[in-house]
Amino acid sequence: MNKFTRYITLTLSSLFTFLLMPLSVYSQKQPGIPRPTGPIDFSQTSNQIIFVLIPAIIIIAYLIFRGKIKKVKQEKKDRLKKKDE
């Protein structure tokens, strides 16, 4: 009986979520805010910074910190292995 109630709960919550999803998506459209309609003009410095430089910095920082995190995890595993031996 427990599996059945979990199944019903999951089904009803999924149905409820799918029924309310269009409402939440529609509520995020804000009228009166200008939206870009064409290709990005890279002759303006602000567009170059926003669309090229900032994402590149974020990707490079992610790769650097990911490497450091992997290194720290590996060192921690090595210390635990030495401690167990």
Side-chain angles (χ1 to χ4, degrees), residues 17-82:
T17 301
F18 287 127
L19 288 176
L20 289 179
M21 196 175 298
L23 181 64
S24 66
V25 170
Y26 180 72
S27 66
Q28 292 184 11
K29 290 185 179 180
Q30 298 175 354
I33 294 179
R35 293 179 180 83
T37 56
I40 300 169
D41 180 21
F42 284 111
S43 64
Q44 295 178 355
T45 307
S46 62
N47 285 343
Q48 291 175 357
I49 292 172
I50 292 171
F51 294 109
V52 177
L53 187 64
I54 293 175
I57 291 172
I58 291 171
I59 290 171
I60 291 169
Y62 169 75
L63 293 174
I64 290 171
F65 285 117
R66 186 182 69 167
K68 287 184 180 182
I69 290 171
K70 283 184 178 181
K71 188 176 179 182
V72 168
K73 283 184 180 181
Q74 186 63 36
E75 289 174 357
K76 190 182 257 186
K77 284 181 184 179
D78 291 343
R79 276 189 265 139
L80 287 174
K81 283 182 182 179
K82 286 181 182 179

